[in-house]
Structure formats: structure tokens, C-alpha cells
Amino acid sequence: MALKALAINCTLKADTTDESSTDAMIAVLEKAFADVQVEVTETVRVAALDIKPGVKSDEGEGDEWPALRSKILAHDILIFGGPIWMGQVGSVAKRVLERMDAFLSETDEQGRMPSYGKVAVAAIVGNEDGAHFSSAQLFQALNDVGWTIPAVAACYWVGEAMGSTDFKDLDETPKMVTKTAKMVAGNAAHLAGLLKASPYPG
């Protein structure tokens, strides 16, 4: 059963030519997913889009969320990537979560939200404490709006507090990051395959 994943990069850098450590972490996961025959079709730089504030699926003229929403829901797995800022998940990621709040009122006849049967994992980077807190924020919010979270669902790297070395600057990927990415991808692919074959009853 073919599975596909979409990655969203919630870096604060709107310019897609600016290097992003979140992109580097997503690339590690992309390789791990390829090893379990899951295609990561693309990485979307959310800050480069005009995602309006709000909690509806369409906030009117110029809002680019509806198109991104459709793209996200066309995939089996969501790789939710983002940096840690001030010890928590960044503002761009929070805006995505807020827009997904609309799923709560967009249920089908069985009460299932559009995200039911779809799997989400996290890719988190930073130069300060907060990887566990950021993943906790993401996973609780995503679960609230219908996403399924597999075992070992976060791949993260945290550098020295207030340090100058970012994940993208490392000469090689740390072994534990590679090992974790393999587990994230394998578990996510397994769970997504099960849910695609046997959806939640609602």
C-alpha cells in the first residue's frame, strides 16, 4: 500500500533561500521514510505563505491556508517541523495549529474530523531547552484535532544553550538522531498503513 508524507517547515524564516535547521532535520526524516517506502513529496515553508490568523478553514481573500490544508489532507503522514523559541514551539507552528481548530466542526456522518486516520510526527530543532515541551504542545494540539500520534513520534536535536552552532552547521548527523529518525519513520509508516486499511469507525 503506497503511503506519502508531506513536511511543513514552521521556521520563522520566510525567505526559502535562507538555510533552515528545520529543513536539515526534515531531510534526515525524509531519508528514513524513503527506507520504509514512504515518499515525502515536498517540504512547505509555511512562513513564505500568507496564512491568515483565525480558526476557520478559509479566512477570506488572500488566505493561503485553504490550499495548504488541502495539500496536508491529501497525504497519509504529516511531518510537522519547527524550531524552539523561548523554550516552546514557534509562532508559525502555533498558527498552523490554530487553523486546524476548524477540523472540530468539519466532521463527517460518523463524527470523524478530516484528519482522522492520518498520522503526525514532529521534527524539532533548537539551541535551548524545550524539545520535550514543544513536542508535547504539538502532539496534544494535533491529537485534539484528530491526528494520530505513533510511538516515538519526535525527532529532535538541541544544541548548547545560547550556543552558536545550529543543527544545519553540524558536519554529520548525530547517531542518536539517525537512530530516532529510523524509529519515527518506521512506526509512522506502520501506523499509517494500518489506519489506511482499517479507518477509525467514528
Side-chain angles (χ1 to χ4, degrees), residues 179-194:
K179 180 180 178 180
T180 302
K182 181 178 180 180
M183 294 176 69
V184 170
N187 291 350
H190 177 71
L191 183 55
L194 292 174

Side-chain angles (χ1 to χ4, degrees), residues 115-183:
S115 48
Y116 262 44
K118 297 181 183 298
V119 169
V121 299
I124 298 171
V125 292
N127 285 108
E128 57 184 291
D129 190 18
H132 284 180
F133 182 56
S134 294
S135 60
Q137 288 178 298
L138 286 175
F139 293 154
Q140 183 59 59
L142 288 166
N143 186 255
D144 281 348
V145 294
W147 294 88
T148 299
I149 312 300
V152 190
C155 195
Y156 69 86
W157 179 87
V158 178
E160 182 183 5
M162 296 179 284
S164 58
T165 301
D166 293 329
F167 184 70
K168 61 181 173 59
D169 301 323
L170 300 180
D171 292 331
E172 60 182 7
T173 303
K175 290 181 180 178
M176 281 305 297
V177 172
T178 302
K179 180 180 178 180
T180 302
K182 181 178 180 180
M183 294 176 69

Side-chain angles (χ1 to χ4, degrees), residues 44-65:
V44 177
R45 182 78 67 101
V46 178
L49 304 175
D50 187 4
I51 306 297
K52 304 290 185 186
V55 292
K56 296 187 297 185
S57 283
D58 191 339
E59 290 291 349
E61 185 177 356
D63 185 18
E64 294 187 81
W65 173 251

Side-chain angles (χ1 to χ4, degrees), residues 67-149:
L68 178 55
R69 176 189 179 280
S70 295
K71 188 175 289 187
I72 289 171
L73 293 175
H75 291 74
D76 305 294
I77 299 168
L78 174 66
I79 302 171
F80 201 125
I84 301 166
W85 286 108
M86 299 180 181
Q88 56 190 302
V89 66
S91 59
V92 175
K94 289 180 180 179
R95 178 158 296 187
V96 170
L97 295 173
E98 288 164 354
R99 295 305 300 272
M100 287 185 183
D101 187 75
F103 291 174
L104 292 166
S105 60
E106 296 174 349
T107 56
D108 64 12
E109 299 80 8
Q110 282 75 44
R112 297 173 296 194
M113 288 177 266
S115 48
Y116 262 44
K118 297 181 183 298
V119 169
V121 299
I124 298 171
V125 292
N127 285 108
E128 57 184 291
D129 190 18
H132 284 180
F133 182 56
S134 294
S135 60
Q137 288 178 298
L138 286 175
F139 293 154
Q140 183 59 59
L142 288 166
N143 186 255
D144 281 348
V145 294
W147 294 88
T148 299
I149 312 300

